[in-house]
Amino acid sequence: RKEVEQDPGPFNVPEGATVAFNCTYSNSASQSFFWYRQDCRKEPKLLMSVYSSGNEDGRFTAQLNRASQYISLLIRDSKLSDSATYLCVVTNYGQNFVFGPGTRLSVLP
Amino acid sequence: DADVTQTPRNRITKTGKRIMLECSQTKGHDRMYWYRQDPGLGLRLIYYSFDVKDINKGEISDGYSVSRQAQAKFSLSLESAIPNQTALYFCATSDPYSSYNEQFFGPGTRLTVL
């Protein structure tokens, strides 16, 4: 089993749709969790950190369930500019960052 | 100016050649990493360094070596390049004292081995 797994995608959604991505991790010692966004042939960039209580940043909401070792990202009111690959990342106190394979999102006009 | 830079941005080389990819950062972070990314796969860790002279193997270190002679610089070498090392290579930094612990990435080096 891979250490970090994500929905395989791709997700093709119309503008304005709500879309949710799921991520599971196998290392129960993981302490920090992130969603990164990667545009085609570009470097990954931090979208948001994921906190135990859940957190929201504008149209984006991240949730963490430590008991189930599950992380989610919800995007509301999708924009064309949201089209990218979303990477789930887990780490143990910054010692070792493990990336999921990514889920590709295409927002269609 | 970018905080994490990589040179070269693109490189085409032949099988058996030795090449070096350079990474520099102005963020003042102690920790630096090298990853490779292949189409359809996530980023895979090659080597990482938590301080000058500290070197640690990652998931896929075979065929690669690194050097960390200064806090700001971390170089990756392919001793004898082979075609399956064709990939997109990213350097990253992180600050262990940050509340968020996130990584910051360079723009990537696209390497093609013929």
Side-chain angles (χ1 to χ4, degrees):
Chain A
R1 181 186 171 191
K2 292 181 181 176
E3 198 166 340
V4 178
E5 299 193 66
Q6 296 186 237
D7 288 333
F11 284 60
N12 298 311
V13 302
E15 271 187 290
T18 295
V19 60
F21 302 137
N22 299 315
C23 170
T24 57
Y25 61 96
S26 60
N27 185 352
S28 60
S30 299
Q31 292 293 330
S32 299
F33 309 90
F34 308 93
W35 284 102
Y36 276 73
R37 171 196 168 121
Q38 185 177 24
D39 293 300
C40 187
R41 296 172 180 252
K42 300 282 190 179
E43 72 271 27
K45 292 186 178 178
L46 181 68
L47 177 66
M48 56 197 306
S49 301
V50 186
Y51 305 127
S52 296
S53 56
N55 47 303
E56 186 174 310
D57 183 3
R59 297 181 294 109
F60 299 85
T61 301
Q63 296 282 350
L64 167 65
N65 184 323
R66 287 187 185 270
S68 301
Q69 295 182 196
Y70 167 90
I71 306 159
S72 65
L73 176 68
L74 183 76
I75 305 176
R76 291 180 299 278
D77 189 24
S78 300
K79 311 290 185 192
L80 294 176
S81 57
D82 293 334
S83 296
T85 296
Y86 291 83
L87 305 173
C88 175
V89 185
V90 305
T91 183
N92 179 12
Y93 296 112
Q95 295 286 331
N96 187 20
F97 290 80
V98 182
F99 286 74
T103 300
R104 189 155 59 91
L105 170 67
S106 293
V107 181
L108 309 173
Chain B
D1 286 341
D3 294 321
V4 185
T5 57
Q6 293 182 233
T7 56
R9 294 294 311 280
N10 289 282
R11 178 75 183 267
I12 299 174
T13 191
K14 294 182 178 179
T15 297
K17 294 290 188 181
R18 182 181 187 276
I19 66 163
M20 180 181 290
L21 309 184
E22 304 273 7
C23 176
S24 294
Q25 54 118 345
T26 58
K27 300 187 76 67
H29 290 169
D30 288 330
R31 297 185 176 184
M32 298 187 74
Y33 309 78
W34 275 105
Y35 293 91
R36 67 175 277 175
Q37 187 174 37
D38 299 277
L41 299 178
L43 277 74
R44 292 183 291 167
L45 183 64
I46 305 173
Y47 273 96
Y48 62 101
S49 168
F50 285 174
D51 203 347
V52 176
K53 302 293 186 178
D54 174 66
I55 302 294
N56 304 282
K57 291 184 177 181
E59 179 187 351
I60 52 164
S61 59
D62 287 348
Y64 302 94
S65 63
V66 291
S67 174
R68 181 90 185 272
Q69 297 295 330
Q71 188 203 41
K73 296 185 183 297
F74 193 33
S75 58
L76 175 72
S77 295
L78 285 68
E79 300 302 326
S80 178
I82 56 177
N84 77 0
Q85 291 177 313
T86 293
L88 184 55
Y89 289 84
F90 287 107
C91 173
T93 73
S94 73
D95 176 6
Y97 307 107
S98 161
S99 301
Y100 303 107
N101 255 330
E102 76 263 32
Q103 289 183 311
F104 298 86
F105 285 83
T109 294
R110 186 164 299 279
L111 175 66
T112 302
V113 183
L114 301 176

